[in-house]
Structures are given as C-alpha cells and as structure tokens.
C-alpha cells in the first residue's frame, strides 16, 4: 500500500461500526481498506456511475467477504450528483445519518 494511499485512508479516521459512503468507488481499492477498518457492525455504501467499474469493485470487495468481522457492503450504480434527492430504494433516508 503506497504511503499516500495509506495517508488518505488514515485521514478518513474511519470509525468502527460507522456508515460510510464512497461516492466514487471505482475499482474498490479505497473501499476495501475502509471496509477493513469498519468491521462487522459497519455499513459501506459504494456508488459509481460506471457499471464496468462497479462490477470490478464488486469482485474486489467480494474477495474479502469471508473475512470475519466484515461490514455490510451496498454497491449502487448511481451518480453522486443524485444523492441528495434520490428516493429510490437503496439511498433513501434509511441510510442517513452517515459517519463519512
Ligand atoms: C479515480 S476513480 C476512483 C478510484 C477508487 N477510489 C478506487 O479505489 O479504485 C474515479 C471513479 O469515479 C467515478 N465517477 C466519476 N464521476 C462520478 C459521479 N458523478 N458519480 C459517481 N461516480 C463517478 C468514475 O466512474 C470512476 O470509477
């Protein structure tokens, strides 16, 4: 893990058990590290407007699903621009408040 990558994740100060949104999940690299810190009580919501990237992220994150202490992961094909007024299932109020 590169120094800047680790500094980025450390900067997030991920709170164990929190609910986090990665609004540009991409290939899932950052989300994987966030998930490791969240633990089983946590929930990670990953968004991406690119369905191809989202499928790669799904694979990246599914590799670790058998880990004990793994958070709930929700991946959604969405643009972060829609978050505020997105009432479709998956992003509605039940996910608020988030920790980061
Ligand atoms: C640099 S990549 C993110 C890399 C990611 N953090 C990782 O660890 O793999 C940026 C991603 O943002 C996505 N993206 C760009 N604009 C977006 C938007 N409005 N809503 C959701 N995703 C977006 C792109 O499709 C791309 O997958």
């Amino acid at each position: 893990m590169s120094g800047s990558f680790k500094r980025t994740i450390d900067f997030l100060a991920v709170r164990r058990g929190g609910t986090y949104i990665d609004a540009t999940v991409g290939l899932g690299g950052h989300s994987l590290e966030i998930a490791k810190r969240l633990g089983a009580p946590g929930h990670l919501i990953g968004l991406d407007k690119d369905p191809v990237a989202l499928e790669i992220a799904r694979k990246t994150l599914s590799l670790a699903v058998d880990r004990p202490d793994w958070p709930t992961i929700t991946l959604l094909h969405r643009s972060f621009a829609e978050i505020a007024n997105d009432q479709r299932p998956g992003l509605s109020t039940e996910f608020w408040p988030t920790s980061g």
Side-chain angles (χ1 to χ4, degrees), residues 22-30 47-50 53 78-81:
D22 181 346
T24 55
V25 73
L27 308 184
H30 290 93
L47 312 180
D48 208 292
K49 66 176 184 176
D50 176 358
R78 298 277 198 287
S79 166
F80 56 63

Side-chain angles (χ1 to χ4, degrees), residues 26-28 32 51-65 75:
L27 308 184
L32 183 63
V52 176
L54 205 64
E55 278 324 299
I56 296 169
R58 201 179 300 285
K59 289 194 181 80
T60 304
L61 294 162
S62 68
L63 293 175
V65 81
L75 294 178

